[in-house]
Amino acid sequence: MPSRLKVFFDGGCRPNPGAMELAVVAGGRTHIRRDLGQGTSADAEWLALIHALEVAQAAGGAFVLMGDSANVIGQAGGTAKLRGAGLRHIDRFRVLAGSTPPPIRHIKRTQNLAGIALARLHDR
């Protein structure tokens, strides 16, 4: 079985709500966007998922999306009720995903390479 490209995603904002940013890590490349406008952390997570799907599709081949937001992953995968930010972003996600939802896996925050990349942007 051929290996799938692991595409890590994470979004956030400072403060919440506030200026949104996201990171996607795929194939050793980190994609960071900080020009997302104002929103909530849930909006930023959805935008990160959507950007991760775009990156994965552009790479071609099999992939799995990996993030630490159980809420966004559940809503996108159809196992959690859509509400809040999910209602604002699900249509765009579904158009990109097509008729077959992409594989999305929940991982721990400490395993999320995209979250690690975002954290490095901010001194603590």
Side-chain angles (χ1 to χ4, degrees), residues 5-90:
L5 176 67
K6 293 178 181 178
V7 182
F8 299 86
F9 67 92
D10 197 20
C13 60
R14 291 172 184 259
N16 187 19
M20 296 183 294
E21 60 189 10
L22 67 78
V24 172
V25 177
R29 287 195 60 208
T30 302
H31 308 259
I32 293 183
R33 293 201 46 208
R34 300 180 92 176
D35 58 346
L36 302 173
Q38 300 290 306
T40 67
S41 60
D43 287 309
E45 289 282 0
W46 269 100
L47 293 175
L49 172 61
I50 289 166
H51 191 63
L53 180 55
E54 293 169 336
V55 168
Q57 289 173 334
F63 63 86
V64 58
L65 305 174
M66 304 175 77
D68 58 36
S69 175
N71 186 43
V72 169
I73 291 167
Q75 288 181 8
T79 60
K81 184 176 179 174
L82 278 168
R83 55 181 75 175
L87 292 170
R88 291 189 291 278
H89 301 286
I90 192 67

